[in-house]
Amino acid sequence: MAGLRENVVRAFQFVLSPNDAERKTGEQALKELQSMPGYLSVLFELCANEGDFHLRQQAGVQMKNALIDMWAPKRYDRDADKYIAMASKISAEERDVIRSNLVNAMIAAPPRIRLLFGVMMKVIVDADFPEQFPALMPHVVQLLNTQDYNSIYTALYVLHILAKKYEYKEMGKGREPLLAIVAETFPRLIELFNGLVLNDSLESATAMTMICKTFFTVTHLEMPPMLMNQQWLIPWMNNIVRLFTCPIPAGEPADIDERPNWPWWKAKKWSIQVFTRMFANYAQPADEDVPEQVRFSHQFMEMYACKILEAVLAVLSTVSGGNGYLPERVKTLSLQYLSNGIRFSKTYKVMKTHLQDLLRHVIFPILCFNDLDRQLWERDPQEYIRKEYDVVEEYYSSKKTAENLLFDLFKTRSKSNLTPFMQFIVEVLMRYNTLPAESKNYSEKDGALSVIGTLASKLKRDPAFSGDLQNLIVAHVLPDFQSPAPFIRARVCWCFSLFFDLEMAEPVLMQGIQGVVQCLQDGELPVRVAAAIALRFVLENPFAVKALAPSVGHMLDQFFDLMQKVDNDELIGALETVVEKFEDHIPPYAATVCQRLVVAFVRVSDQSDTNETAALVGLECLKAIQTVLVSIRKNSEAFLPVTQVLLPMIVRSLAPQYLEYFEDILKVTTFLTYFCENPPQDLWQLIPIYLHNVETWAQEYLPHMLPSLDNMISKSKDVFLAGPFPEMYYKMAARCFSTKTPESVQLAACELIECVLQNCPGKVDMWVPGFLELMATRLQSPVKSKGLRVLIFDVFANCLYYNPTLFFAITEKHNWTLAIFKGWFDVLPDLNRVYDRKIMVLGLSAIFAVPQNQLPACMQTLLQPLLVVQLKLMHDAQGIRARRAEYERLQEERSKRRAAQRAAGIQVESSDDDEDLDDDTAFKQELLGDSISQMVVQSVRQSDGIDDADGEVVLSDEDIGVDLDQQEYLEMFARQWVDEGDEDLADDDDVTTPVDDVDEILFFCQRLEEFYGAAQLVAGLSPAEQAALHSLGEQAKNQQQNKQ
């Protein structure tokens, strides 16, 4: 062991060397030493013992990483869709040594080393507690009862780690150990809290922080029964309120950047975090049917909510008028508590008496541009932009929280509150206008514009304010496009954009539009970004689109410049709006726009693992690319250069490391293949990539690959058939039936087979046996989804339609024929779509074309019932089509009626439109569903493997309602497939297939007329069935005459 220790120490000395070669030598030596027995014990000894701090720290980092990787290793089993435990490479002896000594090492360690030990403790607790680590809790309890600060703090630290293990566990699902921990330790914690809150030392603040964190963790998901007892909860609440409101002791750092991490401010932050979470969780019971929850929520509101609210108001009053100091997080959480309080009459009554003072002297100063904002703007404008538009700031920025509070307050409590506050805002604006430039308070003007923009939707709806908004914009918004303060110019762009739908005089509107465009060329980067993003809203006004049409090229150049400097999802969204609104002008710029979007996407996609904003930017880039493709859909010449730009990005991104973008990348390929009349040869390189992904990790994404796979084959049949692609398509489908993939994926596999069969008639004979085998084998296992059962038999129908003689040759060879048709009868009641009925009629009709000597004997007795089945299928399909046509006619009439009402000046309220939408759904269900018959085959009695002598199949005439709601078409342009979890299939008018132009009635009549036994079959029909057949025959004649 001594030799190993010396080697490890020597390796660390090399690692800490400033010489690159020595550092690499040390790192390689450590890798080689990792497999040595006792390696972890040596690291633990080096980290735990006093000595060189850098050596201890390096040893701790190495040990932490080793424990994360080796203590409880797991691997992901894709087929089982879960993680499987693997054997640990750490010996039992080493594990025992580490577990036995880790707590004591934490007690003696300095803070930074203790943090490393804390991570190790979490790894061990998550894997071993309580079964392999039973001594931990007794040790923690023992330390809590000592008088040594380091021992107590370590016990609190470990206790928090234990609580974190069960934080999100529910009762009955693993939460029970947490209740035992609470019962054993919380009485002692409240004793400690009682003393600590009276002590103004930094150690007391640090300990109280850990106590509050543990309380937060324990109560985060649900309140433990012990704490629902007021005997225990009252002292907790009193102490946390006392901690939150107590004066800050002397010693606060002078540097404002260091203050949030000062122990006392951290303790106060966690105290208000506890209150904010409790208010959100327990002001209302999660389940009204659980008496304990109802009772506790009532007690919380009666005993604590208002008391805490008063404490929050008192703390916020310390920053009244923009004076004093509160850490950003404390302000944000305090405002979140107030926002929650607006909803409840009890807490709102407490707030109401303080409201105007709170709005004017606390909320308004928070909204104003301040010195910290100015410093960030000047020092790092990119970071200022990131914070200004980062969605995460909604939760961590006091400004964003204050805006949300204003919005919530005046949305529900505007009466008697909005008018006095807006009077105050107008006073601010008037005072600003009357002062000379050198005396203007630009920060206050920014705050006033923030209020106006935040309340824009409310002001536009409120008759008391809506009539004066144009005057307000003319007097207080438009002039400041020329403001000497750049942050005011940025604020004005944002504020004006929120009133794009206000009825304004054209000169006023034009002045605002010109101001935004002018700011696109501003010298300050944040102003240019604000102007670009404002265009996203301004362009929703048709007047703005018309006015800016001549400037499209200039606007795009400005966007291209900004995209090189800033990664911002709203900026990309604004570019998408420009492309959408000016799509007729985009084709000459399409390749350039896509090139810039690709560059931005490639840049941010490699950052998305560590940067949430980058992930949003990446998704917006892909959405914008889709919009570009839509804009050039009628310009075939533009597609080749755009394809050349996009293809390298697509190929790069069809990989597991870009999983979060995978679906959107596949949408891009869908748009590209759908709109392009003749997909370039280069696009076919995607098919082997699809196959590799499906065979290795991406089976569940086959439904998203399917649209582009279908587009490729339907638009380039010759290329498909000339290459290895039929085999690749088959392998993709086969992979989905050979693994435990969801049935929604198997649905897509069935549809992929349909694509091949329908697009390549007579060209893929060699793959039909494989397709049939996949379906027949799948039916040997339970099929849960009705949709999948239907699609399996759709594939059988497609195979029959493709080549009925080949179909029977294969099914007879494997003795599948009778079983397939028995199952076919069983699936008939599950048919919802016209398409299913149509393809089954085409397939079953094809049977009549099989020569008599090649038709299986078992089919002779099934021909009669199959003829009846086809009659019913065609009858129901016609009924659905007729009802759908009637529904669409009535919808069109309704739309015309509404348009006429609007033209006559009769207002059609939006709320009424919403109600009409609900009525439409019910109306559609009534019209399309309630009178569509489904077939139920009562019996197909078997005798010696065939039907009984009379061959009669009994059909039920019972009407059963069918859900025929159509699914959303993929972005209105590409083929849509069944979403995961959908039990039933539904028709989609936007989906096209090669059999759409085939008239199933004409096909049926022609095949039946050519059938050698037609007369005998028709004679066996009932009079009603014969009449139905005659009617179909007349329709077929008419169809044939029309074609001629």
Side-chain angles (χ1 to χ4, degrees), residues 210-264:
M210 193 59 70
I211 290 173
C212 288
K213 289 172 71 173
T214 301
F215 184 88
F216 177 89
T217 300
V218 166
T219 60
H220 186 184
L221 186 66
E222 56 184 272
M223 188 66 64
M226 175 183 174
L227 294 178
M228 285 187 172
N229 186 329
Q230 298 307 311
Q231 173 188 350
W232 292 109
L233 189 59
I234 288 173
W236 276 102
M237 293 292 99
N238 289 340
N239 278 328
I240 299 175
V241 168
R242 191 177 298 128
L243 169 60
F244 183 57
T245 57
C246 70
I248 288 291
E252 182 181 25
D255 188 340
I256 198 169
D257 292 333
E258 295 180 5
R259 290 182 190 176
N261 292 321
W262 193 52
W264 274 100

Side-chain angles (χ1 to χ4, degrees), residues 114 146-154 196 202-207:
R114 184 185 290 138
T146 65
Q147 300 301 313
D148 176 66
Y149 171 78
N150 286 331
S151 297
I152 292 173
Y153 181 76
T154 298
L196 292 168
L202 296 182
E203 290 80 7
S204 294
T206 303

Side-chain angles (χ1 to χ4, degrees), residues 357-652:
D357 188 63
L358 177 73
L359 290 171
R360 297 181 182 207
H361 302 299
V362 177
I363 303 298
F364 181 73
I366 289 175
L367 293 173
C368 294
F369 195 85
N370 57 42
D371 289 340
L372 292 177
D373 296 327
R374 183 178 289 103
Q375 292 170 15
L376 185 59
W377 178 299
E378 295 172 353
R379 184 180 69 248
D380 191 347
Q382 279 90 353
E383 177 62 12
Y384 177 89
I385 293 166
R386 185 200 66 76
K387 292 190 69 175
E388 185 69 15
Y389 298 101
D390 189 352
V391 293
V392 178
E393 291 296 312
E394 294 283 335
Y395 304 98
Y396 294 98
S397 164
S398 61
K399 286 193 176 186
K400 301 296 184 184
T401 308
E403 290 174 355
N404 292 336
L405 188 151
L406 282 181
F407 185 85
D408 293 341
L409 173 64
F410 294 119
K411 180 180 179 181
T412 57
R413 309 282 188 181
S414 62
K415 185 178 179 182
S416 76
N417 291 324
L418 183 56
T419 298
F421 184 54
M422 285 305 299
Q423 288 173 347
F424 165 74
I425 296 300
V426 170
E427 290 172 6
V428 171
L429 294 172
M430 297 297 292
R431 182 167 62 248
Y432 173 89
N433 279 358
T434 59
L435 291 172
E438 64 274 11
S439 302
K440 290 183 184 296
N441 190 327
Y442 294 107
S443 293
E444 282 193 352
K445 177 64 180 281
D446 179 73
L449 292 176
S450 294
V451 171
I452 292 170
T454 299
L455 301 180
S457 59
K458 174 65 178 177
L459 296 175
K460 287 184 287 188
R461 290 196 308 270
D462 193 326
F465 299 96
S466 58
D468 293 327
L469 287 179
Q470 177 172 301
N471 293 333
L472 183 146
I473 290 170
V474 170
H476 302 293
V477 177
L478 299 182
D480 276 311
F481 277 115
Q482 311 296 328
S483 173
F487 61 86
I488 292 294
R489 299 196 296 272
R491 181 66 69 189
V492 165
C493 289
W494 170 78
C495 189
F496 176 76
S497 72
L498 297 175
F499 292 93
F500 71 91
D501 54 346
L502 186 69
E503 291 188 8
M504 290 185 275
E506 286 190 3
V508 174
L509 190 56
M510 193 65 196
Q511 185 181 349
I513 294 169
Q514 291 173 342
V516 172
V517 173
Q518 177 183 324
C519 287
L520 274 176
Q521 305 173 70
D522 198 276
E524 297 283 341
L525 180 61
V527 178
R528 299 201 299 277
V529 171
I533 293 173
L535 282 174
R536 187 175 195 175
F537 304 97
V538 171
L539 288 174
E540 294 299 326
N541 189 310
F543 178 82
V545 175
K546 183 178 179 180
L548 294 177
S551 307
V552 172
H554 170 72
M555 284 190 292
L556 290 175
D557 288 339
Q558 296 300 321
F559 273 96
F560 296 157
D561 178 69
L562 289 173
M563 288 167 60
Q564 291 180 322
K565 297 178 172 66
V566 177
D567 292 325
N568 181 279
D569 60 303
E570 292 195 44
L571 177 65
I572 304 299
L575 174 60
E576 182 183 352
T577 300
V578 171
V579 172
E580 178 185 351
K581 297 299 181 181
F582 300 105
E583 67 172 32
D584 293 339
H585 300 74
I586 291 301
Y589 307 100
T592 304
V593 174
C594 287
Q595 179 64 50
R596 299 304 178 95
L597 289 168
V598 165
V599 170
F601 173 76
V602 170
R603 181 173 64 248
V604 300
S605 61
D606 288 328
Q607 307 170 14
S608 56
D609 286 345
T610 56
N611 187 336
E612 293 182 8
T613 301
L616 293 174
V617 173
L619 292 172
E620 283 294 340
C621 287
L622 296 177
K623 284 178 59 182
I625 289 171
Q626 294 165 32
T627 304
V628 173
L629 294 175
V630 171
S631 73
I632 63 172
R633 64 189 180 278
K634 298 176 184 178
N635 191 322
S636 57
E637 295 179 358
F639 266 94
L640 182 58
V642 167
T643 301
Q644 293 171 343
V645 168
L646 295 180
L647 193 56
M649 176 201 73
I650 294 171
V651 171
R652 165 190 178 272

